Amino acid sequence: MSELTHFNDQGRAKMVDVSDKSVTTRTAVAISSIVVNELIHSQITEGTNKKGDVFAVAQVAAIMAAKNTSSLIPMCHPIPLTGVDVHFEWQIDESNNRYEVHIQAEVKTKGVTGVEMEALTAASAAALTIYDMCKAAGKEMIIGPTMLLKKTGGKNGDFERAL
């Protein structure tokens, strides 16, 4: 059984000391999705949403979220990111009237701790931003699932989810 690293000798939460870890290149890719109705799909693709360019705003929100993850998640270290990239892709099943945006966030750093939480936060923030910008056209949107797709670097090595 592995030792619990986020607790001190009194059993209270602590931020893990990473000062002795080696600096390595680390990447993480997380995905999320949001299912929308046909009207929302049309507004996004035709650029007619009253709040503006939905994907442009969601892109900026995702980047900002990645950069501010340590302000949101208590035990995350502030990490100097070297790159954040977000992609959106429609998956449409018109026969079932299903319009889904797939979101992929990739985050990179050279540091002593990984960027999984930053990638997950970025993908989540993009989905939440799409919801916020489109909720006037329908509140039945469904967010998720959100998950880590892959990561590289660090003492635990690489990870890639089998989909």
Side-chain angles (χ1 to χ4, degrees):
M1 183 183 285
S2 64
E3 178 185 334
L4 298 175
T5 59
H6 285 75
F7 294 98
N8 66 17
D9 58 2
Q10 294 182 326
R12 301 210 179 267
K14 73 171 186 175
M15 180 184 268
V16 173
D17 181 1
V18 294
S19 57
D20 291 334
K21 291 176 80 179
S22 299
V23 173
T24 62
T25 299
R26 297 158 185 266
T27 66
V29 177
I31 56 174
S32 190
S33 64
I34 183 166
V35 178
V36 302
N37 63 31
E38 186 176 5
L39 174 60
I40 293 169
H41 170 259
S42 295
Q43 286 182 350
I44 293 172
T45 57
E46 296 170 11
T48 58
N49 183 282
K50 292 179 183 177
K51 291 186 178 182
D53 184 333
V54 175
F55 285 174
V57 175
Q59 182 104 13
V60 172
I63 293 167
M64 290 175 63
K67 291 168 48 175
N68 288 289
T69 299
S70 66
S71 297
L72 300 170
I73 310 298
M75 299 305 164
C76 282
H77 294 82
I79 298 174
L81 303 180
T82 58
V84 180
D85 195 9
V86 182
H87 293 272
F88 303 96
E89 183 178 320
W90 285 105
Q91 184 158 13
I92 300 168
D93 180 356
E94 288 180 351
S95 65
N96 290 314
N97 208 26
R98 184 175 173 90
Y99 303 85
E100 186 171 359
V101 179
H102 288 216
I103 302 159
Q104 180 174 301
E106 181 175 4
V107 180
K108 296 179 181 182
T109 192
K110 282 192 175 203
V112 296
T113 191
V115 287
E116 296 98 304
M117 292 307 301
E118 288 72 11
L120 287 161
T121 302
S124 299
L128 289 167
T129 300
I130 292 168
Y131 183 97
D132 179 55
M133 292 192 69
C134 299
K135 65 187 177 213
K139 293 178 178 48
E140 68 281 352
M141 292 175 276
I142 301 169
I143 294 174
T146 301
M147 67 190 85
L148 182 67
L149 192 59
K150 64 182 176 179
K151 76 137 201 114
T152 64
K155 77 173 188 175
N156 292 325
D158 297 348
F159 165 83
E160 187 157 357
R161 181 175 303 280
L163 291 179

